[in-house]
Amino acid sequence: MEKNEYLNAGVSTKAVWAGEKEQRVHGATQVPVVVSVAYGYDDMDEWYDVAIGKKFGHIYGRNTNPTVAAFENKVRILEGAEAATSFSTGMAAISNVLYTFLRPGDKVVSIKDTYGGTNKIFTEFLPNMNVVVTLCNTGDHEAIEAEVKKGCKILYLETPTNPTVKITDIERMVKAGKAVGAIVVVDNTFATPINQNPLALGADIVLHSATKFLGGHADALGGVACGSKELIEQVYHYREINGATLAPWDAYLLLRGMKTLKLRVLQQAKSAMEIAKYLEKQELVEAVYYPGLESHVHHDIAKKQMRGFGGMLSFALKGGMDSVKVLLPKLEYANRAANLGAVETTYGPARTTSHVECTVEERKAMGIPEGLVRISVGIEDVEDLIADLEQAFQHLAKNIK
Ligand SMILES: *Cc1c(COP(=O)(O)O)cnc(C)c1O
């Protein structure tokens, strides 16, 4: 465990400094990428003490690694947690947390709009091991409370959600979860620790796909879970045996990306707000979903629990998928891809990205229009992004079916 917790420092100071000094060597100002798989000991007693956890040290790369430890500590301090452990991907963080605590016969309550992979665990893998999963309509707080009240082992939340950026009231859900002794888990990937700290709102475990905003450059995969020492030690134990270990090189890239986390997230949120307002004025846009807009169904909850509204928004085009096919290829400053949270602006239709596994009817039932486009706003100059949209909309106006 790290000595310097940076308790009095601001969030960007933490993002730059936390977790690093303890891992530096030879006076280097940066954390080294330690690629060694094993760590040797000449003293047999010392080796034994490290192996049984009596003394701190590294034994084998699947368990711990100095570069990975720096990454874990940085996120831990940003989330204000006692402990953190990391994973090879965000999905590994999610599945390992769930499998650590769930046993046959247990019940999970969650929402319908979780990340696609998470939804697959809920609808496919957990039922296979006789875990009962109840998925409530996202944003229907009464329905979630009613389900939780019947008893559950885990209350699993994600807020904001993909792709219509719905918000769940974390404090209110924590109250319901605590009343029945549930472990409350929150996927904080969209919000980032810059905009929201679920642990401070009472949640037990906060997790991230570090692949997205934490890394920020779409060049490294990773996941992380933070919480109390008691819970995280159990998750770590499952992960060290299960083997979904974060690789040192990815840990380094994520560490480097995180130093600019606040700068990026603030700019992305500012630009997202301007783009949302621009889109609201477009004739060919049916609806805009951004929690920063007063028109958003959960604007008040977002205002209450988030420090900023984030860089994710979506909009529905008139003319559905036909219009999407005309508009998206016209954009210059755009990756048309399934990723999000990167420095480059990324566009993707829900039909092809977050909800590719759903049928047209399922998407309709979830309130996802066929012409829905998700934007992960990058750090480009917002004037350029809006001008780019403007020329694409002019093209669509001339070519709409
Ligand atoms: C991408 C994502 C995940 C999964 O993360 P991977 O690193 O791709 O495994 C989980 N939750 C959310 C909200 C995501 O956006």
Side-chain angles (χ1 to χ4, degrees), residues 14 19 29 108 136 186 191 277 288 327 341 385:
K14 286 177 182 164
T29 60
V108 177
C136 303
V186 180
K277 284 182 175 159
V288 182
L327 186 92
L385 296 177

Side-chain angles (χ1 to χ4, degrees), residues 89-91 94 115 118 158 162 187 189-190 209 211-212 221-222 340:
T89 63
M91 278 317 301
I94 293 163
Y115 179 73
T118 312
E158 183 181 321
N162 227 332
D187 182 336
T189 302
F190 269 38
S209 166
T211 314
K212 313 293 171 52
L221 291 161
L340 62 95

Side-chain angles (χ1 to χ4, degrees), residues 124-271:
E124 193 176 328
F125 298 114
L126 290 183
N128 278 347
M129 55 179 268
N130 283 328
V131 169
V132 178
V133 183
T134 309
L135 302 180
C136 303
N137 283 333
T138 312
D140 188 345
H141 291 85
E142 286 79 18
I144 304 170
E145 281 166 340
E147 278 306 325
V148 170
K149 223 174 171 176
K150 295 178 198 163
C152 67
K153 183 71 185 276
I154 289 183
L155 168 57
Y156 185 98
L157 303 171
E158 183 181 321
T159 177
T161 59
N162 227 332
T164 52
V165 214
K166 290 186 190 127
I167 310 288
T168 302
D169 189 328
I170 297 174
E171 261 182 322
R172 182 172 164 184
M173 293 302 101
V174 161
K175 224 168 137 194
K178 288 274 146 82
V180 296
I183 300 170
V184 182
V185 180
V186 180
D187 182 336
N188 205 29
T189 302
F190 269 38
T192 81
I194 304 301
N195 289 327
Q196 175 174 287
N197 292 117
L199 298 180
L201 299 170
D204 298 298
I205 293 178
V206 57
L207 51 83
H208 288 272
S209 166
T211 314
K212 313 293 171 52
F213 289 97
L214 296 186
H217 294 72
D219 55 5
L221 291 161
V224 62
C226 311
S228 69
K229 204 159 171 274
E230 192 208 337
L231 292 178
I232 295 302
E233 269 176 0
Q234 295 176 65
V235 177
Y236 164 73
H237 178 61
Y238 185 89
R239 196 273 288 152
E240 75 169 322
I241 303 303
N242 182 49
T245 306
L246 176 62
W249 181 246
D250 288 82
Y252 174 74
L253 289 171
L254 297 172
L255 262 179
R256 186 164 79 157
M258 278 173 64
K259 294 190 190 199
T260 56
L261 181 65
K262 184 170 171 183
L263 292 177
R264 286 186 282 110
V265 168
L266 289 185
Q267 182 58 50
Q268 285 163 333
K270 197 161 165 255
S271 299

Side-chain angles (χ1 to χ4, degrees), residues 281-296:
K281 286 189 281 194
Q282 297 312 302
E283 196 139 315
L284 297 174
V285 170
E286 220 161 52
V288 182
Y289 306 92
Y290 183 62
L293 292 175
E294 280 175 27
S295 61
H296 190 277

